[in-house]
Amino acid sequence: MRAWAARAVLPLALVAGVALALVPAGAARGGRNLTGFERRGGTTWTTLAEERDYLRSLVAEPDTGRPTWEAARITLTRVGTSARGRPLDLVTLTGARTVADPIRVLFVCGQHGDEPAGREACLKLVRDLAADRSPAGRRLLERVTVMVLPTPNPDGLVAGTRASADGVDLNRDHLAVSTPEARALRRVLRELRPHIVHDLHDFDTPAGVYDTPTLFLWPRNLNVAPELRGLAVELARDRIGPALRAAGWGSGVYGQDRTDRQVAGDADERLLRNAAGIDHAVAVLVEVQSEPASPLERTDAGLLGRRRVAAHMVAARSTLRMAAERGDAIAQAVRVSRERAERGGVQVHFDGADNAPVGRVEPARAPCAYRLTPGEYARARAALTAHGIVVGADLRVETAQPAGVVVALLLDARARFAVAEAEPADCAGGRA
């Protein structure tokens, strides 16, 4: 494919953020573009090579003579590479603009390499949105920018492993951001600032833990602004859950077994749904059961695979619908959360969850700043940089900045997953 100059839809300052293509979508019409998963009836997953060809096939060159369709444009952007050098590409869909600042929705489609159904749903979602000529489809992309990271863990996907090639669970790396994959995703969050982050997973649990084949959850971390948590609960419990049930699948809260005992889904700030919420986004987790849910699925791998992908599609569509319908409220909540952080002096919760608020450490007002020694700065530098945290020339780190809570979670001795231990700095007016 011949490279050509592209107009950026969103301001990108990504390290490797060279737009590969930006053109009117339309190649998917008529069923010409199918994923490997679709061509094989859902019996096996789309390979990385097939994904590359599929995404490129959705991008038509400007001199092919195909009619221009103004409803959607697709941008394919390299945002990083994996530990093994495999590309990490971000797909962005935009439409004709009727609002000044559209709601940005980011789908993260498979942090765990052995959970591929969400990735397949995302690949299908990109094509279906691009090919949708209906008035409703046009209106959606007028109000919402859709960003898709289809394969955030390509090394794990190829190996069939949960972890990355470095042996790291990426969904436990959104605070320290020690892996190239987590750093690439952090760059997207920091620079493109999605209003909604939708995290897709599959689950495989012992029999009897859950009664339903689909699960959802919002951020439980208490550092997430109440306005954002409320909207995340609305999205998960009041929209995604009912939509899945209406489609014929039972749905429930992730992490609560059939006796309501908490077995997963805690407030760990390293998890994407919590980290994205702390980073001023409405975040949601969706999990789809990977084991057969019926006798037919036990004998038909294609039926099993198609059900898993279809459930993720229903949840993703619910997220997009809420983005279009509740955009003003979402944008306002994100703005309030960010402005509050920039003022500083927020309360930091080092433990606890929204369903278990009493933790081992009482919440405390964040100090105005932390002071790092050269040695501690060396340990924390990579994480601070990845989060876009400003560090003064004297190694003083102010907490009155958008990632102020993250400063405390990275540097305070009371934090569970601190990467360094810094001392609260002396401040004018007597507040530490």
Side-chain angles (χ1 to χ4, degrees):
M1 180 182 296
R2 179 174 62 82
W4 65 292
R7 292 175 297 166
V9 176
L10 292 173
L12 289 177
L14 303 176
V15 169
V18 178
L20 303 182
L22 172 58
V23 297
R29 295 196 294 276
R32 288 193 294 264
N33 290 294
L34 297 174
T35 65
F37 172 83
E38 290 172 316
R39 288 199 302 271
R40 293 184 289 275
T43 56
T44 59
W45 308 108
T46 301
T47 67
L48 280 180
E50 289 172 334
E51 175 189 321
R52 178 199 60 211
D53 293 342
Y54 169 79
L55 291 176
R56 289 179 178 176
S57 75
L58 296 181
V59 180
E61 292 196 58
D63 55 358
T64 59
R66 292 184 182 132
T68 298
W69 178 47
E70 70 280 7
R73 286 192 285 259
I74 301 178
T75 308
L76 191 61
T77 305
R78 183 68 42 79
V79 296
T81 55
S82 71
R84 293 287 182 266
R86 294 186 171 98
L88 298 168
D89 291 334
L90 179 74
V91 186
T92 305
L93 290 100
T94 59
R97 286 289 167 246
T98 59
V99 295
D101 188 17
I103 296 299
R104 296 178 293 278
V105 180
L106 173 65
F107 292 95
V108 182
C109 311
Q111 295 190 74
H112 297 142
D114 58 353
E115 300 177 9
R119 168 177 173 263
E120 296 292 344
C122 286
L123 293 173
K124 175 175 168 56
L125 181 69
V126 168
R127 183 198 62 218
D128 291 356
L129 288 173
D132 188 351
R133 287 188 167 194
S134 70
R138 288 174 180 261
R139 285 194 299 272
L140 172 68
L141 289 180
E142 288 170 0
R143 294 166 171 79
V144 180
T145 292
V146 181
M147 302 182 289
V148 177
L149 192 59
T151 312
N153 183 9
D155 298 342
L157 178 75
V158 170
T161 59
R162 176 182 178 91
S164 70
D166 293 327
V168 176
D169 184 334
L170 297 185
N171 206 28
R172 302 297 185 277
D173 194 31
H174 296 295
L175 183 66
V177 280
S178 63
T179 59
E181 296 88 351
R183 287 193 293 273
L185 177 52
R186 172 50 50 188
R187 195 176 301 125
V188 171
L189 293 171
R190 187 181 74 241
E191 300 193 16
L192 298 184
R193 291 169 55 181
H195 296 84
I196 299 176
V197 176
H198 181 125
D199 189 18
L200 293 79
H201 289 260
D202 302 339
F203 72 92
D204 181 357
T205 57
V209 175
Y210 297 117
D211 285 325
T212 62
T214 63
L215 302 165
F216 52 79
L217 190 59
W218 50 89
R220 290 203 178 278
N221 192 286
L222 295 174
N223 292 300
V224 177
E227 299 89 346
L228 294 176
R229 182 183 294 107
L231 287 164
V233 171
E234 176 187 339
L235 172 57
R237 187 185 63 197
D238 302 337
R239 289 181 177 258
I240 291 175
L244 287 166
R245 290 190 288 273
W249 297 296
S251 192
V253 176
Y254 176 72
Q256 293 179 353
D257 69 6
R258 58 176 56 186
T259 66
D260 289 332
R261 181 172 55 99
Q262 193 74 29
V263 295
D266 62 13
D268 187 338
E269 54 263 36
R270 302 172 302 169
L271 297 164
L272 180 59
R273 63 181 162 80
N274 291 318
I278 295 170
D279 200 33
H280 319 296
V282 174
V284 66
L285 166 78
V286 175
E287 298 257 2
V288 172
Q289 181 179 330
S290 59
E291 304 112 315
S294 69
L296 284 175
E297 288 186 358
R298 280 193 286 273
T299 59
D300 187 339
L303 182 62
L304 169 60
R306 294 192 300 273
R307 185 264 301 169
R308 293 166 63 182
V309 173
H312 272 303
M313 284 290 292
V314 168
R317 287 286 188 176
S318 298
T319 291
L320 293 176
R321 191 172 299 113
M322 177 160 167
E325 295 174 358
R326 297 277 279 146
D328 289 345
I330 292 167
Q332 173 66 11
V334 169
R335 187 163 47 249
V336 167
S337 175
R338 190 176 184 88
E339 290 174 352
R340 185 181 295 135
E342 289 172 344
R343 289 194 300 269
V346 298
Q347 193 173 58
V348 178
H349 296 264
F350 295 103
D351 204 353
D354 68 348
N355 61 340
V358 178
R360 60 181 178 82
V361 180
E362 291 294 323
R365 188 72 58 186
C368 67
Y370 289 90
R371 181 86 66 183
L372 286 161
T373 65
E376 295 294 337
Y377 177 59
R379 280 186 280 276
R381 180 177 181 177
L384 293 168
T385 300
H387 287 279
I389 293 168
V390 177
V391 180
D394 59 352
L395 302 186
R396 177 187 172 96
V397 188
E398 302 282 347
T399 56
Q401 52 180 305
V405 168
V406 179
V407 171
L409 296 177
L410 285 170
L411 303 182
D412 199 291
R414 294 167 291 182
R416 292 185 296 172
F417 305 109
V419 299
E421 291 190 11
E423 293 294 328
D426 293 331
C427 302
R431 186 171 65 87

